[in-house]
C-alpha cells in the first residue's frame, strides 16, 4: 500500500504515477553518470510544471496550499520512479521556509546541509539552506563555493560547500534550529523510502512470477515466498511510519512530530536498504547488473540512510522519549466536504449515552442494552454503527473510564450465529453470551488438522433428530470453563477438504465429552484436549446449511469492527521501558521495540482510516498480525533480558516477565503459523503462484 490511504491521496498517487514513470529517471541517471548535473535540468522544468514542489506551501505564499502529507505522497511516487534532481532538497527547504512565513522563488531549486561541509541537492541549486554562527541562513548559491560530488546515488548530486563570505547577501531564518531541519528532512526522506520499497517489492514479485527454475516459477518456491512476504512486512511498516510522521507534521504538535520522526528514523531508513537488498536477491544475477534498475534503488536507499543516520541513533532517542513518558497519540479523523469533523453531529448524543452507562450499577448490562458493547452489529445487539460512530463511541468510553469486557470466543460464535443462525438460535444464545452468562470455546483444531483445518477428521453421523459426533479436538482454550462450543465436523466423508463440513453448537455438558487439560510451557493449562465419543447434537444446534460449515468458519459480519489506535505500547514494551537503565546498548534495543509497537498501532489506524473512507481491507491487517506477533515475542524476551538475574531467582509462578515470554511463543503458532501466514500473504496479497 502507498503512504496515502484516503481517496484523495490514492487519486493523487494514481494520477502522478504515469507522469513520473514517463520521465525515464533511471535512463537519465545513467546518462548523467560522469557528467554535470545539467542533464537533469530539463526534468526540473517538468517537475515544476507538474506542481510537485511547493505542494505544502500555503497558497498565500504562492504554493499549492496542501499538507505535508500531500507532499509526502507526491515524493513517494517520484522516488518509486527514481525521478532525478533536487526534489528532496527543494521540498524540505520550501516546507521549512513556509513555516517561517516565506517561500522559495518560483521554479527555484534548493539544497540543504546537515553536516559542516556537505550539502544535499546543492549542484544546480539557486539557494542553499546552511548553518552558520548558531543560526540558519538561506544563501544564494553563487555566494558559496560548491564542488560537485558524484556520490553513490546517481539520481542526485551532493556537493562540498564552503560559505565563508559576508552574511549580507544571505537571509537569516529566525527561530529555525538544526533539529527542525533534520526532522523535516527525515519526514520527506521517509516518504522517499516508501517509494523505494514499493518499487523494489513490485519488481521482485513481478520477476518471481515469470522467472523459471527447475521447471517452475521461482515464486512458487517457499523460500522466495517468504522472502517476498518479509519484504511486504517491511514495506508496510515503512509506509505506515512515513504516513504517521507526515501526519504528525501537519498536526501542529512538535513533541508528537519529534516522536513520530524517531519512529520513522528507526524503521524507514534501514528498512529501505533491507528491501532493496532483498529485491536484488530475488532478481538473482540480473539484479547484479548495472543495466538493471535495482542498484539505483539500493543506491538511493543507502544515500538516504547516510544523509540522516542509521536506525540505532533514532531508536536511542526514542527510548529516551518513552522513558520520559511520551507516547504517540494517533487520532484518526475524516473531514466532510467543508473541512469539518464528520463526528461532530453525533458526539453529544454518544457522550450522553456513555454517561448513562458509566453511572449504571451493571455496566456490562448497560453496554449490551445500549448496543455499545458491539456497536458494529445490527440492532438489537448493536446499532449498525458506521466506522465514524465506532470511533466516537470508543473515544467516549475511554474518556469515561468504561472498559468493554472481552468476549473471547463468544465474539466469533455470536457473530456467526447472528449472520447464519436461526431466529431461535439468536434468541437462545446472543444476549446471554454478550452478558457473560454463556462462555464459549472453539472445537476446530485437531491433532492432524491445525493450520490445515480442512483436513479435519472428526465425523458427524446422522441419527434420529440430530448428529452423533466422534473425534478428537486439541489446543482448545478454556474448554473446562466453557458452557458451549462451536465445532466443525465432517458430515459427508465422501467429500474431501473443504466440502462436507458442518458447523455445530455443542453443549459442553453433554455425555460423551471428555476434556483433558494440556499443560503448556508456562506451567498453566489453558489448552485442552477434547474427546467426543458419540456426542449427540440435536438438529437445532446446526448453524447454517449441512455440509456448508467451511464457509461459516471463514466469514464474519460484513460490518467489520474498527477501533481507535491505543497510545499504550503493549505490556512487554511498556515493561521494557520501565526496566531499561542508562546503557546505550539496552536503550537502542528498547527504542527499536518502541518503534515496532508504534508502527503496529499506525497500521491499525490505517486500517481504520480505510474503513472510514469506505475502502475494503488492505494488506495492513494481514501484516499487522505478523508484525504484532514479532513485537510481542521480541519485547517479552527483551524484558526478561533486561531483568538480569531476576528470572533465575524467580519461578514461573512468580515471574510475570518470564511467564509472558513463554506465553508469547504460542503466538506464531496459534491462528495459523507465521510461516503459513507468509505463504498466504505471498499468494493472496502479492499474487505469487502456488
Amino acid at each position: 500500500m502507498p503512504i496515502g490511504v484516503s481517496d484523495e491521496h490514492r487519486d493523487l498517487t494514481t494520477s502522478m504515477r504515469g507522469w513520473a514513470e514517463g520521465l525515464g529517471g533511471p535512463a537519465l541517471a545513467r546518462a548523467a553518470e560522469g557528467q554535470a548535473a545539467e542533464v537533469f535540468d530539463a526534468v526540473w522544468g517538468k517537475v515544476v510544471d507538474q506542481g510537485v514542489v511547493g505542494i505544502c506551501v500555503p497558497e498565500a505564499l504562492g504554493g499549492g496550499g496542501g499538507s505535508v502529507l500531500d507532499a509526502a505522497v507526491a515524493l513517494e511516487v517520484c522516488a518509486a520512479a527514481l525521478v532525478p534532481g533536487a526534489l528532496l532538497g527543494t521540498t524540505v527547504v520550501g516546507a521549512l521556509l513556509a513555516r517561517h512565513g516565506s517561500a522559495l522563488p518560483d521554479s527555484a531549486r534548493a539544497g540543504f546541509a546537515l553536516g559542516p561541509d556537505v550539502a544535499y541537492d546543492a549542484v544546480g541549486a539557486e539557494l542553499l539552506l546552511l548553518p552558520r554562527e548558531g543560526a540558519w541562513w538561506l544563501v544564494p548559491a553563487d555566494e558559496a563555493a560548491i564542488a560537485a560530488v558524484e556520490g553513490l546515488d546517481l539520481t542526485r548530486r551532493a556537493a562540498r560547500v564552503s560559505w565563508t563570505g559576508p552574511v549580507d547577501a544571505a537571509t537569516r531564518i529566525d527561530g529555525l534550529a538544526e533539529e527542525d531541519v533534520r526532522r523535516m528532512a527525515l519526514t520527506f526522506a521517509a516518504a522517499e523510502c516508501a517509494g523505494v520499497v514499493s518499487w523494489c517489492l513490485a519488481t521482485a514479485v513481478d520477476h518471481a512470477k515469470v522467472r523459471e527454475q527447475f521447471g517452475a516459477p521461482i515464486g512458487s518456491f517457499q523460500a522466495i515466498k517468504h522472502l517476498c512476504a518479509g519484504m511486504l512486512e517491511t514495506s508496510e511498516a515503512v509506509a505506515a511510519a512515513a504516513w504517521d510522521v507526515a501526519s504528525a507534521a501537519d498536526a501542529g504538535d512538535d513533541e508528537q512530530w519529534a516522536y513520530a520522526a524517531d519512529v520513522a528514523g528507526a524503521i524507514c531508513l534501514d528498512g529501505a536498504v533491507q528491501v532493496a537488498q532483498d529485491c536484488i536477491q530475488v532478481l538473482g544475477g540480473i539484479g547484479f547488473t548495472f543495466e538493471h534498475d535495482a542498484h539505483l534503488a539500493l543506491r538511493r536507499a543507502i544515500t538516504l540512510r547516510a544523509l540522516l543516520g542509521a536506525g540505532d541513533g533514532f531508536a536511542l532517542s526514542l527510548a529516551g522519549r518513552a522513558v520520559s513518558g511520551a507516547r504517540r497519540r494517533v487520532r484518526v479523523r475524516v473531514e466532510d466536504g467543508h473541512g469539518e469533523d464528520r463526528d461532530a453531529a453525533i458526539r453529544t448524543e454518544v457522550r450522553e449515552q456513555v454517561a448513562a452507562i458509566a453511572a449504571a450499577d451493571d455496566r456490562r448490562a448497560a453496554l449490551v442494552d445500549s448496543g455499545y458493547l458491539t456497536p458494529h452489529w445490527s440492532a438489537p445487539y448493536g446499532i449498525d454503527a458506521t466506522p465514524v460512530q465506532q470511533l466516537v463511541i470508543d473515544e467516549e468510553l475511554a474518556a469515561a473510564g468504561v472498559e468493554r469486557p472481552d468476549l473471547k470466543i463468544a465474539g466469533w460464535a455470536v457473530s456467526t450465529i447472528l449472520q447464519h443462525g436461526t431466529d431461535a438460535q439468536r434468541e437462545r444464545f446472543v444476549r446471554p453470551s454478550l452478558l457473560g452468562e454463556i462462555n464459549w470455546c472453539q472445537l476446530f483444531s485437531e491433532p492432524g488438522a491445525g493450520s490445515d483445518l480442512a483436513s479435519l477428521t472428526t465425523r458427524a453421523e446422522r441419527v434420529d433428530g440430530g448428529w452423533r459426533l466422534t473425534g478428537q479436538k486439541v489446543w482448545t482454550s478454556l474448554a473446562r470453563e466453557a458452557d458451549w462450543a462451536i465445532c466443525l465436523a465432517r458430515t459427508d466423508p465422501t467429500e474431501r477438504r473443504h466440502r462436507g463440513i458442518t458447523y455445530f453448537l455443542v453443549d459442553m455438558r453433554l455425555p460423551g465429552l471428555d476434556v483433558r487439560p494440556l499443560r503448556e510451557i508456562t506451567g498453566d493449562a489453558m489448552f485442552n484436549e477434547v474427546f467426543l465419543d458419540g456426542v449427540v447434537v440435536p438438529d437445532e444446534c446446526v448453524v447454517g446449511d449441512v455440509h456448508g460449515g467451511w464457509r461459516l468458519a471463514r466469514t464474519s459480519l460484513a460490518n467489520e469492527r474498527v477501533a481507535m489506535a491505543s497510545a499504550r505500547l503493549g505490556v512487554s514494551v511498556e515493561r521494557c521501558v520501565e526496566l531499561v537503565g542508562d546503557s546505550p546498548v539496552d536503550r537502542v534495543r528498547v527504542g527499536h521495540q518502541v518503534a515496532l509497537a508504534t508502527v503496529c498501532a499506525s497500521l491499525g489506524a490505517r486500517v481504520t482510516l480505510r474503513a472510514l473512507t469506505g475502502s475494503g481491507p488492505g494488506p495492513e491487517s494481514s501484516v499487522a498480525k505478523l508484525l504484532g506477533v514479532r513485537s510481542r515475542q521480541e519485547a517479552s524476551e527483551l524484558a526478561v533480558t533486561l531483568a538480569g538475574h531476576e528470572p533465575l531467582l524467580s519461578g514461573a509462578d512468580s515471574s510475570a516477565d518470564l511467564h509472558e515470554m513463554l506465553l508469547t511463543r504460542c503466538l506464531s503458532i496459534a491462528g495459523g503459523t507465521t510461516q503459513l501466514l507468509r505463504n498466504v500473504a505471498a499468494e493472496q496479497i502479492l499474487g505469487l503462484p502456488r
Side-chain angles (χ1 to χ4, degrees), residues 69-82:
L69 183 55
D70 294 335
V73 169
L75 281 189
E76 176 191 28
V77 176
C78 292
L82 287 172

Side-chain angles (χ1 to χ4, degrees), residues 1-11 13 69 72-73 76 239 243 606 609-610 620:
M1 286 298 298
I3 290 175
V5 293
S6 69
D7 292 337
E8 293 81 4
H9 286 149
R10 286 197 297 272
D11 290 344
T13 298
L69 183 55
V73 169
E76 176 191 28
W243 167 79
R606 283 162 64 81
L609 186 57
R610 287 178 62 85
E620 298 99 336

Side-chain angles (χ1 to χ4, degrees), residues 290-614:
F290 196 86
E291 287 73 17
H292 200 283
D293 296 342
H295 73 99
L296 298 175
L298 177 61
R299 288 167 179 268
R300 171 70 68 89
I302 294 175
T303 300
L304 290 171
R305 185 170 68 177
L307 172 69
L308 291 156
D312 284 356
F314 295 100
L316 180 62
S317 173
L318 185 58
R321 296 185 193 280
V323 168
S324 69
R327 299 291 184 274
R328 181 74 180 105
R329 300 183 302 275
V330 179
R331 197 176 184 203
V332 176
R333 281 287 176 269
V334 175
E335 297 177 344
D336 60 20
H338 305 288
E340 300 293 332
D341 285 346
R342 283 167 47 186
D343 63 22
I346 62 174
R347 188 170 290 277
T348 299
E349 177 185 348
V350 170
R351 185 168 294 167
E352 291 174 352
Q353 181 66 68
V354 168
I357 294 170
D361 293 332
D362 186 343
R363 286 185 172 183
R364 181 164 186 157
L367 282 166
V368 173
D369 292 339
S370 65
Y372 280 20
L373 178 59
T374 51
H376 55 303
W377 289 357
S378 297
Y381 309 109
I383 61 170
D384 287 306
T386 66
V388 173
Q389 287 176 301
Q390 292 178 53
L391 287 179
V392 173
I393 291 169
D394 278 3
E395 290 173 354
E396 293 301 324
L397 287 174
V402 177
E403 293 187 12
R404 289 191 181 96
D406 184 0
L407 294 177
K408 300 179 182 177
I409 302 299
W412 300 352
V414 172
S415 63
T416 303
I417 293 169
L418 281 174
Q419 189 171 4
H420 301 286
T422 64
D423 288 341
Q425 288 171 343
R426 285 188 278 270
E427 180 68 25
R428 180 179 182 183
F429 292 109
V430 176
R431 181 176 172 82
S433 297
L434 295 179
L435 290 172
E437 296 169 357
I438 296 178
N439 296 314
W440 292 82
C441 66
Q442 182 190 66
L443 300 177
F444 281 13
S445 295
E446 299 181 3
S451 296
D452 184 16
L453 189 58
S455 64
L456 65 85
T457 60
T458 294
R459 65 184 186 275
E461 300 170 313
R462 202 70 173 95
V463 297
D464 186 23
W467 299 83
R468 180 184 290 113
L469 275 58
T470 303
Q472 178 186 355
K473 299 293 183 176
V474 73
W475 316 125
T476 305
S477 303
L478 307 175
R480 284 169 292 156
E481 294 83 11
D483 304 298
W484 284 80
I486 51 177
C487 178
L488 293 180
R490 193 169 295 282
T491 44
D492 187 348
T494 65
E495 294 282 1
R496 293 179 57 81
R497 302 293 297 167
H498 308 92
R499 299 178 180 179
I501 294 173
T502 300
Y503 196 108
F504 294 95
L505 306 178
V506 178
D507 187 339
M508 292 297 289
R509 295 159 294 192
L510 287 172
L513 272 168
D514 183 14
V515 179
R516 303 177 189 176
L518 286 172
R519 198 176 185 205
E520 300 103 42
I521 63 175
T522 60
D524 299 334
M526 178 181 65
F527 293 137
N528 301 269
E529 292 179 293
V530 179
F531 295 87
L532 301 97
D533 185 8
V535 177
V536 177
V537 177
D539 284 328
E540 65 197 46
C541 288
V542 173
V543 183
D545 297 331
V546 173
H547 311 320
W550 183 257
R551 181 173 64 91
L552 272 64
R554 295 181 60 83
T555 60
S556 59
L557 288 178
N559 191 4
E560 294 288 350
R561 177 82 174 96
V562 302
M564 63 180 184
S566 172
R568 293 279 296 172
L569 295 169
V571 173
S572 292
V573 182
E574 293 286 1
R575 179 64 171 152
C576 289
V577 172
E578 177 187 340
L579 289 172
V580 72
D582 296 328
S583 166
V585 173
D586 288 343
R587 288 204 163 210
V588 165
R589 298 173 70 186
V590 170
H592 280 298
Q593 291 306 313
V594 171
L596 179 56
T598 305
V599 161
C600 288
S602 294
L603 285 169
R606 283 162 64 81
V607 170
T608 298
L609 186 57
R610 287 178 62 85
L612 289 170
T613 57

Side-chain angles (χ1 to χ4, degrees), residues 5-214:
V5 293
S6 69
D7 292 337
E8 293 81 4
H9 286 149
R10 286 197 297 272
D11 290 344
L12 176 60
T13 298
T14 301
S15 66
M16 283 194 61
R17 185 178 291 124
W19 166 82
E21 292 173 351
L23 295 178
L28 288 172
R30 292 187 179 90
E33 186 186 7
Q35 300 182 38
E38 283 76 11
V39 174
F40 298 152
D41 286 352
V43 174
W44 185 253
K46 296 177 181 179
V47 169
V48 172
D49 292 341
Q50 184 69 13
V52 177
V53 295
I55 287 179
C56 60
V57 176
E59 292 181 354
L61 296 175
S67 64
V68 171
L69 183 55
D70 294 335
V73 169
L75 281 189
E76 176 191 28
V77 176
C78 292
L82 287 172
V83 174
L87 276 78
L88 180 62
T90 305
T91 304
V92 169
V93 175
L96 288 168
L97 292 179
R99 291 189 169 223
H100 289 78
S102 61
L104 290 168
D106 290 344
S107 75
R109 284 173 285 187
F112 64 94
L114 290 178
D117 300 315
V118 178
Y120 199 65
D121 282 342
V123 178
E126 287 80 26
L127 293 163
L128 302 174
L129 185 64
L130 302 175
R132 180 168 166 181
E133 299 174 359
W136 284 82
W137 304 77
L138 193 62
V139 183
D142 56 12
E143 294 291 324
I146 301 174
V149 177
E150 185 172 299
L152 185 65
D153 186 353
L154 301 183
T155 66
R156 294 269 171 77
R157 290 296 183 268
R160 298 191 181 281
V161 175
S162 174
W163 174 47
T164 58
V167 299
D168 297 351
T171 301
R172 177 171 175 155
I173 313 301
D174 292 327
L176 186 63
E178 181 177 353
E179 66 174 307
D180 300 324
V181 180
R182 287 188 174 275
R183 193 179 304 153
M184 189 67 78
L186 176 59
T187 299
F188 290 121
E192 292 208 344
C193 286
V196 169
V197 299
S198 68
W199 181 89
C200 289
L201 176 60
T203 299
V205 169
D206 288 346
H207 181 78
K209 290 177 182 178
V210 299
R211 173 62 171 163
E212 292 193 357
Q213 289 285 288
F214 306 105

